Amino acid sequence: MNTMNFKTWKGVASLLSAAMLALTLAGCGTTTTNEGTGTSQPAQEQSQEQAKTDLKTQYPLTVTDATGESFTFDKAPAKIVSVSPAETESLFALGLDEQIVGVSDYDDYPEAATKKPKMGGITKPNEESIIAAEADIVFTGISMSEESVKKLRDLGITIFKTDSKSVDDVMNNIETFGEITDHQEKAQEITTQMKQDVTDVTEAVKAVKPEEKKKVYVEFSPGWTVGKGEFMDELITLAGGNNVASDLTGWNQINEENIIASNPDVILYANDVVEDNKTLDQIIKARSGWDQITAVKNDAVIGLDANLLSRPGPRVTQGLKEVAKAIYPDLFK
């Protein structure tokens, strides 16, 4: 029986489990006078101060998660648990280190996350640990089923689930987290950079003619790929490629004959996967008939950081850049 080491599982657990479940200001320069104070203040400064005021969360705040559940916050949560690596990255990026009191066993970024108390797995976290942490809110992501979420809610745990299908979804989640935690200014800073990353890539590949677009196959775990309707498929599209598995929907086990017939120009794979002492590219190249695929013949089988490729968090647009560079290296020298 094939076995996958812990490092491999940690890198792709989020997506593989999702597959198993069927599978993101300026004003003018005039001057105004504040009556009664005897002072004057440039309108630009007033505009900036107003912008900061507008980015302060007004409580009580009611938001809705991916399951349709509504949550009302009377104040920013003081204790936060995240049992999803992507959500954990987002929360740390927002500057919530002090508020985070627990993470999943697979959370490995940033470094500070590895030092937090562990709350168990990403599909079925440790209920006792979460309850003991006395968190005001628990965040989970694409890997946890709605059934598991309901079970935790029945235990009295306040759990907020996301289900990112696109880069916009990721940015919207980050902005929602910023609103919940009164870190909207930082959330806006993060999403502004993410939007710039998307623009940089789409501008670089827009000159690629439709008939010149490269066919791309991605494998994030042995025998698993992704079809339309998921953010990883969108990364390929934004990067100017055509996903050869786009006839499928969601996370799927591959049909080797179909992949051979589609003859991808580029094959992308998660570079930390090791199974039976073989790396994923070795597994791919050793398959019968795959030596005739253009990507294999041209040595265009390219490994990418599994976390950048697979986590719908703040680094997903860095993953987009890596995907684009892998498909069109001449455009990103």
Side-chain angles (χ1 to χ4, degrees):
M1 179 177 178
N2 290 340
T3 58
M4 188 178 295
N5 67 19
F6 180 76
K7 183 175 184 294
T8 298
W9 172 242
K10 182 172 68 173
V12 300
S14 171
L15 291 179
L16 184 54
S17 56
M20 297 291 209
L21 295 167
L23 328 181
T24 271
L25 311 187
C28 57
T30 58
T31 302
T32 59
T33 301
N34 296 326
E35 292 183 6
T37 65
T39 62
S40 62
Q41 185 177 35
Q44 183 175 358
E45 291 182 14
Q46 287 185 326
S47 176
Q48 290 172 344
E49 289 181 5
Q50 183 61 46
K52 289 183 179 180
T53 300
D54 291 344
L55 290 173
K56 295 292 292 180
T57 301
Q58 301 301 309
Y59 298 100
L61 169 74
T62 300
V63 294
T64 304
D65 78 348
T67 69
E69 187 82 359
S70 291
F71 303 79
T72 297
F73 299 89
D74 294 322
K75 60 182 179 179
K79 291 184 177 181
I80 297 170
V81 163
S82 171
V83 288
S84 163
E87 273 54 57
T88 297
E89 288 197 21
S90 297
L91 295 166
F92 270 98
L94 287 168
L96 294 163
D97 189 335
E98 292 185 5
Q99 289 85 357
I100 297 170
V101 296
V103 299
S104 87
D105 292 347
Y106 301 102
D107 290 17
D108 58 3
Y109 187 92
E111 177 67 21
T114 66
K115 298 177 173 62
K116 295 291 184 179
K118 299 299 183 286
M119 300 287 125
I122 56 180
T123 59
K124 294 181 180 179
N126 187 300
E127 298 153 2
E128 291 81 7
S129 296
I130 292 177
I131 292 170
E134 298 182 336
D136 300 308
I137 186 74
V138 178
F139 290 99
T140 188
I142 62 176
S143 298
M144 189 180 291
S145 69
E146 290 194 21
E147 278 184 331
S148 295
V149 170
K150 183 179 184 304
K151 181 181 178 184
L152 292 172
R153 286 174 178 161
D154 288 344
L155 293 172
I157 296 170
T158 303
I159 185 160
F160 187 105
K161 176 176 166 56
T162 70
D163 188 12
S164 299
K165 301 293 187 183
S166 67
V167 174
D168 278 347
D169 284 349
V170 177
M171 291 190 287
N172 288 337
N173 287 337
I174 291 171
E175 289 175 351
T176 298
F177 298 164
E179 192 173 16
I180 290 170
T181 61
D182 197 17
H183 280 59
Q184 292 191 63
E185 190 172 351
K186 185 62 177 178
Q188 188 178 84
E189 178 185 319
I190 294 166
T191 57
T192 296
Q193 180 58 58
M194 293 176 72
K195 289 172 185 175
Q196 185 60 54
D197 291 341
V198 173
T199 298
D200 290 345
V201 169
T202 54
E203 285 295 309
V205 302
K206 71 179 182 180
V208 179
K209 298 176 182 177
E211 65 272 17
E212 295 174 347
K213 287 190 174 185
K214 292 185 180 180
K215 294 180 290 182
V216 181
Y217 167 70
V218 60
E219 189 163 332
F220 58 85
S221 184
W224 288 90
T225 192
V226 63
K228 62 187 177 183
E230 301 292 345
F231 71 91
M232 196 184 293
D233 172 71
E234 186 189 31
L235 296 186
I236 295 172
T237 301
L238 288 171
N242 288 322
N243 182 7
V244 299
S246 61
D247 58 320
L248 304 173
T249 299
W251 316 106
N252 286 270
Q253 287 185 293
I254 64 173
N255 181 308
E256 290 193 33
E257 291 183 0
N258 288 350
I259 303 302
I260 295 170
S262 66
N263 193 27
D265 301 296
V266 178
I267 293 176
L268 307 178
Y269 69 93
N271 65 6
D272 68 346
V273 173
V274 179
E275 188 173 75
D276 294 337
N277 295 317
K278 293 181 180 179
T279 57
L280 188 48
D281 61 323
Q282 292 173 328
I283 295 171
I284 289 170
K285 292 175 181 178
R287 291 174 181 149
S288 177
W290 285 53
D291 58 345
Q292 297 304 306
I293 292 175
T294 297
V296 177
K297 290 193 290 187
N298 292 343
D299 199 26
V301 181
I302 302 163
L304 299 179
D305 184 316
N307 291 346
L308 296 184
L309 185 65
S310 66
R311 288 184 183 173
R315 296 190 294 162
V316 71
T317 54
Q318 294 179 39
L320 169 62
K321 285 185 169 183
E322 293 305 308
V323 169
K325 289 177 184 177
I327 301 173
Y328 299 109
D330 292 343
L331 297 179
F332 294 91
K333 289 183 178 179

